[in-house]
Amino acid sequence: MIRAAVLPAVGSPLEITGIELPEPGPGQVRIRLAAAGVCHSDLSLTNGTMRLPVPAVLGHEGAGTVVSVGEGVTHIAAGDDVVLNWAPSCGTCHPCSLGEVWLCASALAGAANVHARTQDGTELHPGLNVAAFAEETVVAANCVLPAPDGVPLADAALLGCAVLTGWGAVHHSARVREGESVAVFGVGGVGLATLQAARIAGASTIVAVDVSPEKEALARAAGATEYVVASDNTAREIRKLTGGQGVDVAVECVGRAVTIRTAWESTRRGGRTTVVGIGGKDQQVTFNALEIFHWGRTLAGCVYGNSNPAVDLPVLAEHIRAGRFDLGALVTERITLDGIPGAFDNMIAGKGGRALVIFD
């Protein structure tokens, strides 16, 4: 019996409770969690923005140590430190055949599996494949990657979502070039990672945008050269900061129609907007045909940073070891499992960066 954060049903409060976790079967791995990040995608599962089977154990950004492995698992062994990969690629579907592993058609197939059971026998699913909001978890072997050497294991949890997403948004989706200007909308965990990635890419002007004035210090520590408190005049303020032109690149980390539209309007003619935030179906973004032609801007979606974790983690690890990327700067709160509901409340209120669940 282990403790875990369980979502009984969409719209229900999260329950911190005991669950019965099976031993790993063929092709599976059991992991003792060191830490798990509290991501907005977990909140999106609770409110129905993202639809996956429930009841479920939530949590998808984590790192820990292998306890045991099932039959046929050879690339890792008990005692190895690992980072969880919530969206593993199958390697055979059409997107994977094109090298677009972040769009794998089977990436979330594991979410339909029975992961564990409550004390009364109720079947539980793994919310986003890996069920990281638990003292221990059992996952498919392709959901684990070796933790980078020289990176504290608890901090390495952030590599599983926030950092890969922010890094990839800058380096893979928007393809920020040295000297370009960048605006980042939303200074949460992903936004802070995006700011650091833009700084590493050599962006000149880096504008952070958020509804909270209190996040300015966080944003500037991550690399922002300018800070704008979101308002109806945000796009105008950003153009003023960039000689009247607008930024070369905008990265939207919120997932709201008004923010996406503002990010697009904040770019120069021919600029590029990458949307990382996950919005609901009710968030409708509109454009007229003439402005699309006239401005010549690009608007692109971005899934998991358009990243290949197996390739990108070693690159990120080198930046971390060299002191260029600071994982700790993303974390504004270290909590226990019981603190996850409060961390959700803070996200809804727009407070802080990443909350990190630390397991004993």
Side-chain angles (χ1 to χ4, degrees), residues 5-342:
V6 174
L7 176 67
V10 172
S12 296
L14 207 63
E15 296 179 358
I16 312 302
T17 186
I19 66 169
E20 296 178 357
L21 189 67
E23 291 302 313
Q28 292 185 321
V29 182
R30 184 166 183 144
I31 298 159
R32 180 178 299 110
L33 273 297
V38 182
C39 179
H40 205 281
S41 296
D42 298 307
L43 182 62
S44 294
L45 290 175
T46 70
N47 61 28
T49 298
M50 295 176 66
R51 291 281 185 176
L52 288 173
V54 292
V57 178
L58 298 189
H60 64 281
E61 181 183 84
T65 302
V66 175
V67 175
S68 58
V69 301
E71 181 184 349
V73 178
T74 58
H75 72 291
I76 51 170
D80 289 351
D81 290 337
V82 295
V83 173
L84 297 177
N85 174 17
W86 63 270
S89 58
C90 69
T92 58
C93 69
H94 184 62
C96 285
S97 73
L98 298 175
E100 298 172 350
V101 298
W102 55 91
L103 298 178
C104 177
S106 302
L108 290 177
N113 295 338
V114 175
H115 172 72
R117 286 175 169 80
T118 62
Q119 296 178 61
D120 66 4
T122 301
E123 294 181 343
L124 300 172
H125 302 281
L128 280 166
N129 280 330
V130 296
F133 287 168
E135 294 167 333
E136 294 188 11
T137 188
V138 172
V139 301
N142 62 352
C143 286
V144 297
L145 295 165
D149 292 335
V151 178
L153 189 57
D155 289 348
L158 301 167
L159 294 170
C161 184
V163 175
L164 274 174
T165 299
W167 174 265
V170 168
H171 291 272
H172 300 319
S173 180
R175 299 182 183 273
V176 175
R177 298 181 289 267
E178 186 172 358
E180 288 192 313
S181 53
V182 177
V184 177
F185 288 74
V187 184
V190 173
L192 290 168
T194 303
L195 289 168
Q196 291 202 51
R199 173 176 48 75
I200 291 170
S204 53
T205 300
I206 304 176
V207 184
V209 183
D210 198 275
V211 295
S212 172
E214 288 76 23
K215 290 188 180 182
E216 180 171 359
L218 275 175
R220 290 190 180 275
T225 61
E226 309 288 344
Y227 192 82
V228 172
V229 178
S231 71
D232 293 340
N233 295 318
T234 295
R236 188 176 297 111
E237 290 186 55
I238 291 174
R239 286 195 294 271
K240 185 177 179 180
L241 291 169
T242 52
Q245 298 301 310
V247 290
D248 297 297
V249 170
V251 181
E252 199 272 359
C253 304
V254 181
R256 295 183 61 227
V258 65
T259 317
I260 294 169
R261 175 73 204 200
T262 303
W264 189 81
E265 290 177 354
S266 298
T267 63
R268 63 170 175 82
R269 197 174 187 190
R272 313 184 299 281
T273 297
T274 286
V275 179
V276 172
I278 301 173
K281 293 180 180 179
D282 60 328
Q283 296 292 313
Q284 299 292 317
V285 187
T286 60
F287 306 90
N288 67 59
L290 180 60
E291 65 179 329
I292 291 174
F293 161 77
H294 173 76
W295 289 104
R297 294 164 171 152
T298 300
L299 178 68
C302 179
V303 178
Y304 203 5
N306 293 8
S307 293
N308 181 340
V311 173
D312 288 320
L313 280 187
V315 175
L316 279 162
E318 187 56 39
H319 285 296
I320 294 164
R321 287 190 291 264
R324 291 184 291 269
F325 198 107
D326 182 2
L327 289 175
L330 275 64
V331 180
T332 53
E333 188 179 19
R334 294 178 186 266
I335 60 175
T336 65
L337 268 176
D338 297 289
I340 295 175

